[in-house]
């Protein structure tokens, strides 16, 4: 059997991290088994689906490196792979199910159905109980599937184990609406059957739909796929993941400078682990061992801080030349203009130090703006914390006198001069050097001080120390 899996996002929003995680697990299993991974677009909600969201979904999946073998954007033997292009097929299937007697037309009004539901509730039965085939057949209205009542719907979910639903708790659900549009249950099941899907791995929120899909699959005379319902994602506060917990769309992570490898690694940890507590592993390592049966059924916690930490680990592991290349657009964005050759040479002298201090690529830009532009203002928090202390003016003037004599102007010589000053003035490094950092960068975060000064150059360094002295004496 060739394994065939799909992910089926609805283009009614950006690619959500939950759907990205589902896509990732499907992709991993397809790659592990040498099967196919298919991208279907569930765009039957015509009012809320947009081309822009569809593009965002495709871009985000590509960015994550989840290439698909068939589907929207790449084509394949089943045509378009958008549900909106298959309405005729869904109508044909619904009609043939009516013809064969397993589905029926229903023109009861919402009020009539509501009365049936109320009756069920009054009798303490599942509301589904009374939504059954009416005594008189009609030839118009919505089409419902007649759910066989003889046996329970039981299946072995690859993640959750045996799952069982009482047939009488499943109503005769609508498959085709009065206006001829398919419901999710019909479109999804027909596609899974037509595309030969062998494994349906999707979020646990869809578990209540699965017995309906199973009876529909049987009514179609098709063989039932394996199901794997993936654990839901929660925030660190234990509540269902939502925008309150931080960004939930993949494209925002891309735009914030996250590395696709780090996001891939992090998403794969949401309900799965490669080997005990190991958190960092490559795509290939995951492909080599991934199996849907190893997915945990416990809720998974999506923690943006852990993702940022992991991203930092990936940044530190980058080849220095790759880091420099990836950081460049962020540096230019932070500086607000393009840099020229000599400026890039300056950046190169601190690039390795910046790499060590970066969790997200935009931070690389923020750390080096001071090298290329005079800052307009001192960061108020840094100023209050460092520059308002006793003795700062004296430290700055003494540093200025020493720095004037530094020769050659390089990090080592600058360090010797400033350490000499610390010793002579009886100061610790924090107290004696922090004012210099604020003076030359305007803030308290930057690459190490001596290298920063070396890259900035003697003239600019002295000018900024002078500026801080002026500011302190009220003349700046
Ligand atoms: N379109 C559904 C969603 O985005 C997924 C349907 C499925 O996987 O069966 O939630």
């Amino acid at each position: 059997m060739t394994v065939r899996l799909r992910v089926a996002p609805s283009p009614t929003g950006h690619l959500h991290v939950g759907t990205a995680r589902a896509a990732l697990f499907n992709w991993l299993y397809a790659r592990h088994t040498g099967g196919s991974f298919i991208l279907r677009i569930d765009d039957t909600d015509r009012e809320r689906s947009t081309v822009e969201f569809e593009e965002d979904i495709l871009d985000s999946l590509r960015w994550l490196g989840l290439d698909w073998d068939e589907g929207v954007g790449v084509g394949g033997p089943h045509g378009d792979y958008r549900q909106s292009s298959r309405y005729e097929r869904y109508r044909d299937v619904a009609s043939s199910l009516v013809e064969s007697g397993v589905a029926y037309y229903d023109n009861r009004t919402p009020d009539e159905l509501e009365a049936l539901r109320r009756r069920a509730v009054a009798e303490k039965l599942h509301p589904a109980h009374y939504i059954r085939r009416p005594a008189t057949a009609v030839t118009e209205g919505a089409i419902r599937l007649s759910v066989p009542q003889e046996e329970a719907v039981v299946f072995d979910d690859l993640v959750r184990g045996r799952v069982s639903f009482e047939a009488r708790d499943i109503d005769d659900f609508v498959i085709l609406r009065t206006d001829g549009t398919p419901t999710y249950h019909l479109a999804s099941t027909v596609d899974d059957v037509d595309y030969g899907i062998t494994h349906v791995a999707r979020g646990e929120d869809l578990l209540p739909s699965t017995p309906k899909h199973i009876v529909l699959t049987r009514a179609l005379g098709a063989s039932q796929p394996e199901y794997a319902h993936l654990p839901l994602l929660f925030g660190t506060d234990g509540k269902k993941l939502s925008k309150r917990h931080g960004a939930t769309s993949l494209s925002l992570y891309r735009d914030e400078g996250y590395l696709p490898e780090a996001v891939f690694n992090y998403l794969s940890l949401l309900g799965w682990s490669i080997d005990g507590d190991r958190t960092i592993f490559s795509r290939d390592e995951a492909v080599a061992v991934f199996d849907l049966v190893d997915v945990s059924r416990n809720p998974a916690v999506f923690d943006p801080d852990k993702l940022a930490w992991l991203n930092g680990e990936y940044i530190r592991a980058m080849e220095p030349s790759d880091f420099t290349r990836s950081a460049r657009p962020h540096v230019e964005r932070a500086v607000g203009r393009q840099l020229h050759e000599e400026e890039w040479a300056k950046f190169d002298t601190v690039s390795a130090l910046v790499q060590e201090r970066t969790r997200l690529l935009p931070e690389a830009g923020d750390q080096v703006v001071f090298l290329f532009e005079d800052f307009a203002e001192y960061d108020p928090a840094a100023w209050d914390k460092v520059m308002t202390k006793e003795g700062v003016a004296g430290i700055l003037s003494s540093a200025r006198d020493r720095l004037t004599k530094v020769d050659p102007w390089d990090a080592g010589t600058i360090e010797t001069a400033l350490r000499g000053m610390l010793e002579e003035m009886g100061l610790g490094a924090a107290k004696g050097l922090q004012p210099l950092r604020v003076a030359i960068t305007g803030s308290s975060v930057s690459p190490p001080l001596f290298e920063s000064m070396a890259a900035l150059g003697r003239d600019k360094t002295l000018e900024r120390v002078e500026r801080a002295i002026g500011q302190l004496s009220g003349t700046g």
Side-chain angles (χ1 to χ4, degrees), residues 6-10 19 40 42 184 188 192 200-202 205-206 213:
R6 79 335 185 251
V7 66
S10 301
T19 313
R40 179 177 98 205
D42 280 8
Y184 157 64
S188 184
D192 287 343
V200 172
R202 61 186 172 196
D205 49 325
L206 291 166
H213 298 188

Side-chain angles (χ1 to χ4, degrees), residues 453-473:
M453 286 181 163
L456 186 60
R458 186 201 307 269
D459 292 351
K460 272 283 167 202
T461 301
L462 289 171
E463 184 187 310
R464 289 193 190 165
V465 172
E466 210 60 74
R467 176 181 165 187
I469 293 171
Q471 179 97 3
L472 277 173
S473 66

Side-chain angles (χ1 to χ4, degrees), residues 7 56 89 131-132 160 186 206 213 229-230 240-241 264 295 311 332 345 394 427 443 454:
V7 66
D56 174 83
R89 170 76 184 140
I131 315 288
R132 299 289 171 221
R160 307 183 57 80
L186 179 68
L206 291 166
H213 298 188
H229 287 91
L230 310 172
K240 200 165 172 256
L241 190 65
F264 181 104
V295 172
N311 201 68
E332 289 191 333
L427 293 170
S443 78

